[in-house]
């Protein structure tokens, strides 16, 4: 006969499963990634053209996450963390460097890394390690 402690552990695990199962990520493949500068602010940017299959994957991933925060990474570098105002359904993305660049990397290094490593990862905020 299971003890009360075993029952309590099972309940705790069952309660945690919906949260763990909700965390997802999707890998996007870039057709092209180019470093540049925003013409209005002169901030460094990386413009990314997605491959067709990745356009659909990004739209599907973001459709149910409007109002929630997501993260965009390349090669383990956090490029952006933002609250979605609408699904991302286009064929391209522009990522603008923060105050300190892209975690100490230049826009050129990020663009080259995206092309060399084959893409980007989009995930629910605070789920990637």
């Amino acid at each position: 006969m299971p003890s009360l402690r075993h029952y309590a552990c099972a309940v705790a695990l069952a309660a945690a499963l919906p949260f763990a199962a909700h965390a997802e990520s999707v890998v996007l493949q870039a057709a092209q990634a180019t470093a540049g500068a925003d013409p209005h602010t002169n901030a460094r940017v990386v413009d990314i053209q997605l491959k067709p299959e990745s356009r659909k994957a990004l739209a599907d991933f973001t459709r149910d996450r409007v109002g929630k925060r997501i993260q965009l990474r390349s090669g383990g570098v956090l490029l952006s963390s933002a609250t979605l105002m609408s699904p991302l359904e286009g064929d391209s993305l522009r990522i603008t460097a923060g105050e300190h660049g892209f975690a100490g990397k230049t826009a050129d290094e990020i663009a080259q890394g995206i092309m060399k490593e084959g893409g980007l990862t989009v995930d629910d905020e605070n789920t990637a390690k």
Side-chain angles (χ1 to χ4, degrees):
M1 178 172 185
S3 71
L4 186 56
R5 187 167 78 184
H6 286 109
Y7 178 73
C9 288
V11 169
L13 284 172
L17 283 177
F19 297 109
H22 180 70
E24 294 181 42
S25 66
V26 64
V27 176
L28 305 175
Q29 299 300 312
Q32 183 175 355
T34 309
D38 184 289
H40 303 292
T41 65
N42 214 25
R44 297 299 293 166
V45 299
V46 177
D47 290 317
I48 302 161
Q49 185 75 32
L50 297 172
K51 290 185 177 181
E53 60 275 11
S54 290
R55 297 172 193 167
K56 181 180 181 334
L58 181 61
D60 291 346
F61 183 83
T62 59
R63 195 168 291 117
D64 295 330
R65 288 172 171 79
V66 172
K68 297 181 179 160
R69 292 188 66 82
I70 62 165
Q71 296 177 334
L72 183 63
R73 298 175 184 277
S74 174
V77 175
L78 178 64
L79 302 176
S80 182
S81 179
T83 300
L84 288 172
M85 302 309 283
S86 64
L88 302 177
E89 297 179 326
D91 60 355
S92 63
L93 301 170
R94 171 172 275 184
I95 305 165
T96 303
E99 182 179 335
H100 302 289
F102 295 106
K105 294 192 177 212
T106 68
D108 289 317
E109 290 171 321
I110 294 297
Q112 290 171 9
I114 290 169
M115 294 309 296
K116 194 180 292 184
E117 296 171 22
L120 305 156
T121 302
V122 181
D123 54 54
D124 295 317
E125 187 177 60
N126 297 325
T127 60
K129 303 290 185 228

